[in-house]
Amino acid sequence: MTETLRVALSVLLATIVLALPVADAAPPAKELLAKAEQGNAEAQLALAYCYRDGKGVSKDNAESLRWAHRAADQGHAAAMDFVGYAFFTGRGVKHSPELAFGYFQAAAEESPTAAFNLGQCYYGAQGTRQDIPKALEIWNKAAELGSGRAASSAAMMYLAGDGVAADAKQALRLATRAAELNDPNGLVVLGEIHYQAGEIEQARACWTKVSKLKRVGLTGHPEQPGDQAAAQQGADLLKLIDYRGRKPEPNKFALVATQHLYQGWNNCGATSCAMLARSQGAKVGGWDFKKLCPSPVGTGTDWGDLLKASEQLKQRWKLVRNDRKITSSE
């Protein structure tokens, strides 16, 4: 009995969200509180992290935000990013992408994380209009400031030519920068660039390094959203090296390679559809699918709407869940 093996190679489709501010180790609570009450912005932000994470105190989002606001009001860039992220997620305050955008914009010149988040707002139409070239411009600056996540995001877009003209040199430059900053997604992308260039051992080294994240914490701080997914992708890509060199065998083996696309905020379904379409030769991006659906950019998308969008783009496929066919475009 033959077994058909179809391996859909998803080089990089992870849940991409805004960068979450991460706290360094804080002094003892009493000493920290004293400094914060005296107006020390660093101490105020550190105390905000303590209340956010429940370190030395009970978790309290409102108190966390109160201290972050005090530091932000002094022009502390990381604190402004902290407050912006709270408004973006609705943590301790009413959800407001518009206010989040304003804080990220105010802090972006000094804070790499805020700069990345600002680019995300432009890319995913959060608190502002969608402007992909502007997002790339900001991510390039953020990469210079030290944001590995911004560098890897821009590298993905240049590599795939999604929303911007493909540029292999820019993709390599930014992926290398992301890897230098130990960004997990950057290591995955750089590994893929090496693989496509026939540099298998360099690719293996990148994917091996990122796959160890699950065990040792590659980034050296509490894992950012998407780090675990990147670690799993690295492990999977290591296993796929041998398969990618095999020739198709009728009724036995076929490998379907899909081009990786940058997902952006709340665009997972549309990006998945674009990757599937690209594996079939179509030149479409995630936003091409999203903009054919009734839900606005930056919001979730119903899979039924995505199926209808695929028909408009002359794609024919079935939507299956738990081995049960739900609907079909055939």
Side-chain angles (χ1 to χ4, degrees):
M1 180 177 180
T2 63
E3 179 181 357
T4 301
L5 177 62
R6 289 176 56 86
V7 182
L9 176 61
S10 173
V11 176
L12 193 59
L13 179 61
T15 302
I16 308 294
V17 298
L18 294 184
L20 179 65
V22 180
D24 295 325
K30 289 183 179 179
E31 178 185 346
L32 184 64
L33 181 59
K35 289 183 178 180
E37 288 178 338
Q38 291 167 8
N40 183 293
E42 289 287 348
Q44 290 168 345
L45 180 59
L47 195 58
Y49 284 120
C50 288
Y51 278 107
R52 185 197 72 182
D53 300 333
K55 291 184 177 180
V57 293
S58 298
K59 284 188 177 182
D60 188 329
N61 286 330
E63 189 67 3
S64 171
L65 192 57
R66 185 175 75 85
W67 283 110
H69 261 300
R70 290 182 63 174
D73 289 345
Q74 297 187 59
H76 193 288
M80 288 190 283
D81 177 61
F82 187 105
V83 174
Y85 190 80
F87 277 113
F88 192 94
T89 58
R91 187 190 67 239
V93 291
K94 184 178 180 181
H95 171 67
S96 176
E98 292 77 17
L99 285 175
F101 174 81
Y103 275 101
F104 296 148
Q105 191 173 45
E109 291 295 325
E110 297 180 41
S111 167
T113 304
F116 168 74
N117 287 337
L118 181 62
Q120 282 282 68
C121 288
Y122 277 112
Y123 186 79
Q126 295 299 294
T128 187
R129 69 191 188 286
Q130 187 179 47
D131 189 334
I132 293 176
K134 184 68 173 179
L136 276 171
E137 176 189 336
I138 292 169
W139 280 337
N140 270 280
K141 291 179 180 178
E144 294 175 6
L145 286 173
S147 172
R149 194 167 295 270
S152 63
S153 300
M156 291 177 227
M157 294 175 65
Y158 281 121
L159 186 62
D162 184 26
V164 64
D167 190 326
K169 289 184 179 180
Q170 289 284 9
L172 176 59
R173 178 183 67 83
L174 286 157
T176 301
R177 174 62 172 159
E180 289 172 351
L181 294 167
N182 270 345
D183 179 74
N185 291 320
L187 286 163
V188 173
V189 177
L190 183 59
E192 179 60 19
I193 292 173
H194 282 308
Y195 185 90
Q196 292 181 14
E199 300 163 351
I200 308 303
E201 291 311 307
Q202 291 94 321
R204 193 189 305 274
C206 288
W207 295 334
T208 297
K209 186 175 183 180
V210 73
S211 69
K212 293 179 179 179
L213 173 64
K214 293 184 292 184
R215 298 190 294 276
V216 301
L218 179 63
T219 54
H221 55 62
E223 291 166 4
Q224 295 278 15
D227 284 0
Q228 282 288 352
Q232 186 60 57
Q233 287 159 7
D236 291 341
L237 286 165
L238 286 170
K239 295 176 183 177
L240 282 169
I241 288 176
D242 292 337
Y243 285 104
R244 294 177 77 175
R246 283 178 58 179
K247 294 181 178 179
E249 301 174 51
N251 299 317
K252 187 175 182 181
F253 172 83
L255 183 140
V256 180
T258 66
Q259 206 170 19
H260 71 265
L261 299 178
Y262 182 72
Q263 178 179 307
W265 180 258
N266 241 348
N267 206 39
C268 54
T271 305
S272 298
C273 290
M275 291 174 67
L276 175 61
R278 286 195 173 205
S279 73
Q280 299 174 11
K283 294 182 179 180
V284 297
W287 301 118
D288 296 319
F289 271 92
K290 180 62 178 177
K291 290 173 181 177
L292 290 174
C293 298
S295 53
V297 170
T299 64
T301 314
D302 183 88
W303 278 98
D305 291 333
L306 288 168
L307 193 67
K308 294 176 182 177
S310 74
E311 295 171 349
Q312 296 182 59
L313 293 170
K314 303 188 184 305
Q315 297 294 306
R316 301 174 71 238
W317 45 270
K318 298 176 181 179
L319 184 62
V320 177
R321 179 179 178 182
N322 295 331
D323 299 323
R324 176 174 59 85
K325 185 173 70 173
I326 296 176
T327 185
S328 171
S329 62
E330 296 183 81

